[in-house]
Amino acid sequence: MPERGRVRLRHSLVLRLFALVTVVAVVAVALTAWLTVRTTAVGIREEQGAVVAASARIEEALTTYAATHQDWSEVGPLVSRLAASAGNRVVLTDDAGRVLADSAGAGTPLPVGDSTTIDALDVGPPAAVPAADPAAPVELCPSVPVDPEESALTVACPVAESAYAGPPPGSSPIDPRVVGPFALTSTERESSRGLADRVAGCLRDDLGVEVSVVVTASGRASLETGAPTAGLVTGCDLPAVLAPYPSERRVLARLQALVDPCLARRDGPEVALLADLGWTQGVPRTTASDQVVSSCLTDARRQLLRPYAAPAARVHVSATRREPTTFLDLSPGNRWRIAGVAGLVVLLSLGFAALAGRQLVRPLSLLAVAAGRAREGDLSARADVRSNDEIGRVASAFNTMAERREEAEQLRRAMVADVAHELRNPISTMRGTLEAAQDGLVPVDQSLVASLVEETLLLQHVVEDLRDLAAADSGDLRLARAPVRVRDLLDTVAAHHDGLTVTADDDLVVDGDALRLRQVVGNLVSNAVRHGDGGGVELVAERASGTVEIRVVDHGEGIAEADRPHVFDRFWRADPSRNRVSGGSGLGLAIVRQLVVAHGGTVAVTATPGGGATFVVALPGSSPAAAP
């Protein structure tokens, strides 16, 4: 089998290994990137959440301080504690930008960025104020008659809780911890709590409703139920819970005095304030009227509570200079993520490695099996070539080697048989002649001696031919090179044969061993004479393309085209009968090829036009001046 050419890049084993490593690297990088992004995103969210939570704690602490202090004069220690716990710089300034407190110390520039307003009297969105224009569109209720002369406040849909009692300011924008003059005395606090507990117990026993007691920042206790309490028919003293205490009456009167002018300006209803800052009114409540009352009540409370709360201020929170934190901390969650991704990468790598290993090991295993069979003497063992990569080339080379070995073994066996045959004939003849002479059957005379000498010379000729071939095969064939005139060479050979015609120029010179070249031409002439059928043999020499061609032409039976590739094989004969008339030992042409190759030339055989064969020996030419 001929050796395959160079492996194509797309079939290369190196390319496949490179592709495998690339796939594993891409998967590993992709999973690592995914893990990094995922963990970093989680860390960023956690850090952002921590920043938001820290800011919320700072704002809550400062709002609590503002609700319980009349100014910011003692806020410095609180600001320092908040900054230390959050790891941020905290700066508190008034509306004019003057620094009230700074955790970084005096003289440090204010941080650049957003700030948050701290105002205990405005901690939520302001209450919505209805339009003062009576012609503005309002939501009408089908059950309420519409009179064009009535105010818009009286035609809006009434609220469902109660038609005449307003709720306390549960969602007021004023921090409930700003109580100021509304704070009860310790005696009033105990009384309010005891009264609320008794009424709550009464409601549970009388109505079976769930009631809880809530104590506000002022010390007043109120009731919270899961159902509206307005209009309940019960023997429990609900009005007593809302009755004002002595310390509240003067404050409620001041608050009422501030609310009434506001309601009058906004065409609101006349209301009576209760101790829990709810109210009652003499006309049915509507959504619009509740908004007006809530707005006026909030403004009045702010005016009344302003001396008791710290003024509005702005807080700036910024990061301090510290070592950055890492998002890839070794938390249990991150450790599990890292372990999971690493395990996935290992599994994918093992999978790709197993796939590549199977593709690599399987053809190698088949090649090893074939080599084992060949080692055990099975010369027909061949490797299965399934790819065109490096392993495929190794398998193809193994098959070629196995074929060459099988051919060599066949030639060796044939050579042994041929050598045995060639040596057996003269030895058998000599033995038979000598035994006949020993038994007195053949007289011992000159003819007997001549016959034995002939057989001995034939035997010596076979041995010499085998020795020459062995020397050529082992590289021990030595040549005594010198310039040789081709004409002289051909004349010398022709002198030992009859009927030869020599055609050659006198200036043809080759560099070689004269004795070995004479052996080459002599073997070719002997072969031509033997197969020429008496038609004559021609020796022709001429120059051709830097070489000297010597042609030995006979006009005998010729050589079949199918036999021409084998004429230079050892012990090959066109006549398989191996008789002495039609063939020699079968080594002459093999020796010719070895000697010509040793001289750096070539030998070939072609058919002669009209019948016969032509042997052409091409030898490197030499300068005529070098010849003796």
Side-chain angles (χ1 to χ4, degrees), residues 138-299:
V138 293
E139 181 184 5
L140 301 181
C141 299
S143 60
V144 179
V146 179
D147 187 348
E149 297 181 356
E150 292 183 352
S151 170
L153 297 177
T154 61
V155 298
C157 295
V159 297
E161 174 75 16
S162 173
Y164 297 97
S171 58
S172 172
I174 300 176
D175 192 301
R177 291 169 294 190
V178 184
V179 294
F182 292 94
L184 300 181
T185 64
S186 57
T187 303
E188 292 171 343
R189 289 171 182 265
E190 295 177 1
S191 175
S192 176
R193 180 57 186 265
L195 178 60
D197 289 338
R198 288 194 300 273
V199 173
C202 176
L203 290 176
R204 295 190 194 99
D205 297 338
D206 190 14
L207 302 178
V209 296
E210 186 63 30
V211 182
S212 59
V213 177
V214 178
V215 179
T216 62
S218 64
R220 169 172 286 279
S222 61
L223 302 178
E224 287 188 358
T225 63
T229 57
L232 293 178
V233 179
T234 176
C236 302
D237 193 5
L238 285 175
V241 179
L242 297 177
Y245 287 95
S247 62
E248 296 177 315
R249 292 191 182 97
R250 184 173 60 256
V251 180
L252 285 175
R254 293 172 57 191
L255 186 62
Q256 186 77 51
L258 295 173
V259 170
D260 290 342
C262 178
L263 293 176
R265 289 193 305 270
R266 299 184 182 183
D267 294 333
E270 295 182 359
V271 298
L273 299 178
L274 302 177
D276 62 353
L277 299 182
W279 71 87
T280 60
Q281 58 189 52
V283 297
R285 291 172 53 207
T286 65
T287 303
S289 66
D290 278 0
Q291 292 177 347
V292 172
V293 175
S294 296
S295 177
C296 290
L297 181 57
T298 299
D299 291 343

Side-chain angles (χ1 to χ4, degrees), residues 172-485:
S172 172
I174 300 176
D175 192 301
R177 291 169 294 190
V178 184
V179 294
F182 292 94
L184 300 181
T185 64
S186 57
T187 303
E188 292 171 343
R189 289 171 182 265
E190 295 177 1
S191 175
S192 176
R193 180 57 186 265
L195 178 60
D197 289 338
R198 288 194 300 273
V199 173
C202 176
L203 290 176
R204 295 190 194 99
D205 297 338
D206 190 14
L207 302 178
V209 296
E210 186 63 30
V211 182
S212 59
V213 177
V214 178
V215 179
T216 62
S218 64
R220 169 172 286 279
S222 61
L223 302 178
E224 287 188 358
T225 63
T229 57
L232 293 178
V233 179
T234 176
C236 302
D237 193 5
L238 285 175
V241 179
L242 297 177
Y245 287 95
S247 62
E248 296 177 315
R249 292 191 182 97
R250 184 173 60 256
V251 180
L252 285 175
R254 293 172 57 191
L255 186 62
Q256 186 77 51
L258 295 173
V259 170
D260 290 342
C262 178
L263 293 176
R265 289 193 305 270
R266 299 184 182 183
D267 294 333
E270 295 182 359
V271 298
L273 299 178
L274 302 177
D276 62 353
L277 299 182
W279 71 87
T280 60
Q281 58 189 52
V283 297
R285 291 172 53 207
T286 65
T287 303
S289 66
D290 278 0
Q291 292 177 347
V292 172
V293 175
S294 296
S295 177
C296 290
L297 181 57
T298 299
D299 291 343
R301 290 180 61 205
R302 284 192 179 123
Q303 185 176 354
L304 189 62
L305 295 174
R306 186 164 288 113
Y308 300 94
R314 301 195 67 81
V315 61
H316 304 262
V317 180
S318 63
T320 57
R321 293 183 178 179
R322 60 177 182 175
E323 292 297 326
T325 59
T326 177
F327 297 135
L328 290 173
D329 59 342
L330 294 180
S331 62
N334 283 340
R335 281 198 293 265
W336 279 110
R337 292 189 191 99
I338 295 173
V341 172
L344 181 59
V345 171
V346 170
L347 290 178
L348 291 176
S349 301
L350 291 178
F352 285 120
L355 180 61
R358 177 180 175 83
Q359 293 181 349
L360 294 177
V361 172
R362 190 169 185 274
L364 291 177
S365 299
L366 296 177
L367 184 59
V369 171
R373 289 173 55 194
R375 181 187 59 197
E376 298 297 329
D378 184 4
L379 299 181
S380 63
R382 299 292 185 273
D384 187 9
V385 181
R386 297 186 178 183
S387 61
N388 195 27
D389 55 12
E390 288 82 356
I391 296 180
R393 293 188 65 190
V394 172
S396 178
F398 173 82
N399 291 340
T400 302
M401 180 186 66
E403 291 176 0
R404 296 289 185 271
R405 182 185 176 191
E406 188 174 14
E407 293 175 0
E409 180 64 19
Q410 292 175 354
L411 290 176
R412 184 189 67 81
R413 292 176 181 176
M415 184 185 69
V416 171
D418 289 338
V419 169
H421 178 79
E422 296 298 330
L423 296 180
R424 181 179 58 192
N425 285 341
I427 291 175
S428 298
T429 301
M430 294 172 62
R431 178 182 176 182
T433 302
L434 291 174
E435 286 179 352
Q438 186 180 18
D439 294 339
L441 299 177
V442 176
V444 180
D445 52 12
Q446 281 299 117
S447 62
L448 176 63
V449 174
S451 175
L452 291 176
V453 170
E454 181 183 359
E455 294 298 332
T456 301
L457 292 176
L458 178 61
L459 183 61
Q460 182 182 3
H461 179 67
V462 173
V463 172
E464 291 293 335
D465 288 347
L466 290 174
R467 188 190 66 177
D468 289 343
L469 289 174
D473 290 339
S474 63
D476 294 334
L477 185 63
R478 299 184 181 277
L479 301 176
R481 290 181 175 273
V484 179
R485 290 186 179 274

Side-chain angles (χ1 to χ4, degrees), residues 564-579:
R564 290 173 196 165
H566 304 288
V567 296
F568 297 102
D569 292 344
R570 300 174 186 181
F571 300 107
W572 183 88
R573 294 188 185 86
D575 181 10
S577 64
R578 299 178 181 273
N579 61 70

Side-chain angles (χ1 to χ4, degrees), residues 531-556:
H531 296 281
D533 292 338
V537 177
E538 301 175 14
L539 292 178
V540 181
E542 60 184 2
R543 194 179 306 277
S545 301
T547 63
V548 175
E549 289 187 353
I550 302 173
R551 291 196 296 273
V552 180
V553 184
D554 69 77
H555 300 280

